């Protein structure tokens, strides 16, 4: 008796129909530089060299981490694709680059077409928010690797920037201001800790905990903010010297990644409000301030380091894009014995 590929758990016909179903959706992300269509061995993109004298390609790859587990527990898959795109394109734009195209990798034990379409619809939404094309991807059915209902996602983004317009250390000045752009919540970091602290009782996902306006599951699945369009406008219109995407490691570890060694970021902790979800996590996990700062964004998803003269215009640009913002600190000279991250604690000692 023969054993077919379908008998072993991989249904090629279902996968083919799935690709056919999502092709019209992917077309919504089309850019003029895209050559060909979905379904080839590779995605083709014509680099717009006429727009650049000395173009530099910028690339990033990332995943969504164990936020996926929350989506699976809630059986809500429509926004996790936004998170996937956001984690990649936000890393690309901090170099000053415009994201051009994105590719996704979707692996699962058994392809559920309905869930798959929800996931890819989120990826498409994210690409449209970022202005980049969904150039291709891979859907892998891997029985024996993933348990029933489980899946994993990875994303890959490529952008371009004029070499002379790269953001970085060389542009920094003492006295620059730190403009914090609001996050939508946890974004896509710290979920292993969150699940351990809050989801040992999975019924909590349906509860509206004190301080929240929606059930915990809905709060935890808020999609990561995509900062590409406001960031590119900030770069065009304001004196932006650097951008920092606040992901794993929080403010404490991500700001020093873009600051030259002789300078430091001095933050005023009372300068921005902390969303209630972080207070809930801190209390449930019994964490101190340092651990919170190293794990979560605490309400700041991106920091723009700007010249003081640009502050009013920069704030207006953020607000025009629907993103709240606060001046959260400044760049100062660093003593050799000091950290590059200096936090002025709140008067109460907590936040």
């Amino acid at each position: 008796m023969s054993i077919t590929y379908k008998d072993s758990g991989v249904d090629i016909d279902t996968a083919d129909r799935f690709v056919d179903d999502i092709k019209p959706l992917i077309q919504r992300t089309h850019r003029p530089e895209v050559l060909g269509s979905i379904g080839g061995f590779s995605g083709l993109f014509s680099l717009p060299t006429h727009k650049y004298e000395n173009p530099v390609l910028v690339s990033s790859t990332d995943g969504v981490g164990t936020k996926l587990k929350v989506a699976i527990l809630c059986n809500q898959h429509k926004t996790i694709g936004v998170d996937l795109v956001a984690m990649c394109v936000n890393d690309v734009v901090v170099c000053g680059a415009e994201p051009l195209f994105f590719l996704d990798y979707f692996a699962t034990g058994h392809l559920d077409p309905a869930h798959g379409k929800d996931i890819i619809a989120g990826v498409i939404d994210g690409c449209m928010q970022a202005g980049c094309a969904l150039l291709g991807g891979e859907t892998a059915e891997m029985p024996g690797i993933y348990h029933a209902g489980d899946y994993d996602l990875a994303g890959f983004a490529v952008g371009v920037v004029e070499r002379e317009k790269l953001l970085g250390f060389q542009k920094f000045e003492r006295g620059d201001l730190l403009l914090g752009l609001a996050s939508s919540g946890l974004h896509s970091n710290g979920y292993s800790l969150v699940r351990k602290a809050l989801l040992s009782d999975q019924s909590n996902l349906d509860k509206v905990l004190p301080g929240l306006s929606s059930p915990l599951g809905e709060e935890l699945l808020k999609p990561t903010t995509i900062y590409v369009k406001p960031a590119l406008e900030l770069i065009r219109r304001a004196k932006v010297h650097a951008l920092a995407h606040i992901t794993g490691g929080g403010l404490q570890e991500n700001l020093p990644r873009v600051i030259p060694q002789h300078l430091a970021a001095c933050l005023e902790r009372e300068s921005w409000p902390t969303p209630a979800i972080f207070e809930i996590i801190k209390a449930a996990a019994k964490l101190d301030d340092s651990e919170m700062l190293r794990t979560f964004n605490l309400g700041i998803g991106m920091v723009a380091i700007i010249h003081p003269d640009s502050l009013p215009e920069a704030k207006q640009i953020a607000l025009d894009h629907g993103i709240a913002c606060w001046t959260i600190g400044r760049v100062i000279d660093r003593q050799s014995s000091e950290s590059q991250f200096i936090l002025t604690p709140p008067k109460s000692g907590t936040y």
Side-chain angles (χ1 to χ4, degrees):
M1 180 178 178
S2 66
I3 300 174
T4 67
Y5 208 5
K6 185 174 182 179
D7 292 333
S8 66
V10 179
D11 190 335
I12 296 175
D13 292 334
T14 297
D16 288 344
R17 287 194 298 271
F18 174 69
V19 172
D20 288 339
D21 286 344
I22 64 175
K23 279 183 180 179
L25 301 177
I26 294 172
Q27 186 64 28
R28 295 168 58 197
T29 72
H30 184 81
R31 288 177 54 126
E33 302 94 338
V34 175
L35 307 178
S37 60
I38 295 295
F41 287 102
S42 299
L44 305 178
F45 192 96
S46 177
L47 185 65
T49 52
H50 63 283
K51 294 172 56 177
Y52 302 90
E53 294 183 5
N54 196 0
V56 174
L57 293 178
V58 179
S59 63
S60 177
T61 182
D62 211 334
V64 187
T66 60
K67 187 173 185 176
L68 288 171
K69 193 67 175 178
V70 180
I72 292 166
L73 289 171
C74 294
N75 194 29
Q76 296 292 331
H77 311 279
K78 292 185 177 181
T79 59
I80 205 75
V82 177
D83 292 295
L84 183 66
V85 175
M87 295 303 287
C88 297
V89 297
N90 284 344
D91 279 354
V92 166
V93 79
V94 296
C95 295
E98 174 194 1
L100 297 175
F101 59 83
F102 183 84
L103 298 98
D104 71 277
Y105 175 79
F106 169 35
T108 184
H110 173 70
L111 178 61
D112 181 323
H115 290 172
K117 285 185 70 174
D118 282 348
I119 293 164
I120 299 303
V123 171
I124 290 165
D125 184 9
C127 287
M128 293 180 69
Q129 289 184 46
C132 64
L134 179 54
L135 197 58
E138 167 69 2
T139 301
E141 202 167 15
M142 301 169 65
I145 299 295
Y146 296 96
H147 295 298
D150 285 347
Y151 60 89
D152 198 9
L153 298 172
F156 313 85
V158 173
V160 65
V161 61
E162 192 75 69
R163 181 182 291 271
E164 290 71 24
K165 294 183 180 179
L166 274 167
L167 300 182
F169 293 166
Q170 73 279 4
K171 296 180 180 290
F172 264 84
E173 297 177 9
R174 178 173 61 86
D176 282 347
L177 297 178
L178 308 177
L179 182 65
L181 306 183
S183 69
S184 57
L186 274 69
H187 283 180
S188 298
N189 298 103
Y191 278 81
S192 293
L193 189 158
V194 169
R195 290 188 301 112
K196 192 172 183 65
L198 295 177
L199 300 184
S200 56
D201 180 357
Q202 293 182 14
S203 68
N204 283 339
L205 288 167
D206 299 319
K207 297 176 181 176
V208 180
L209 302 183
L212 300 182
S213 58
S214 57
L216 178 62
E218 188 175 323
E219 177 70 31
L220 296 179
L221 288 177
K222 285 182 177 177
T224 303
T225 302
I226 292 177
Y227 296 99
V228 169
K229 291 181 180 179
L232 290 176
E233 188 171 351
L234 280 169
I235 293 166
R236 286 194 301 269
R237 293 175 49 193
K239 298 175 184 175
V240 177
H241 293 161
L243 293 167
H245 184 201
I246 310 305
T247 56
L251 288 157
Q252 184 169 319
E253 295 190 8
N254 283 292
L255 273 173
R257 293 171 68 181
V258 297
I259 298 177
Q261 288 293 317
H262 67 286
L263 297 173
C266 182
L267 272 70
E268 298 175 6
R269 186 60 192 88
E270 290 185 329
S271 59
W272 78 93
T274 303
I277 185 61
F278 297 106
E279 303 280 7
I280 292 169
I281 295 166
K282 182 182 180 185
K286 298 181 174 59
L287 298 179
D288 59 23
D289 292 356
S290 177
E291 187 67 20
M292 290 294 293
L293 279 164
R294 293 182 67 246
T295 307
F296 300 105
N297 66 59
L298 299 183
I300 302 293
M302 181 80 77
V303 177
I305 296 90
I306 62 175
H307 191 283
D309 291 350
S310 289
L311 182 62
E313 185 170 22
K315 283 189 170 183
Q316 190 59 54
I317 290 169
L319 293 174
D320 288 345
H321 284 269
I323 298 176
C325 60
W326 306 271
T327 307
I328 63 172
R330 64 194 186 283
V331 175
I332 63 173
D333 287 325
R334 178 196 179 203
Q335 302 301 317
S336 58
S337 60
E338 287 182 334
S339 166
Q340 283 188 286
F341 180 84
I342 301 169
L343 186 70
T344 302
K347 295 181 178 65
S348 62
T350 60
Y351 51 80

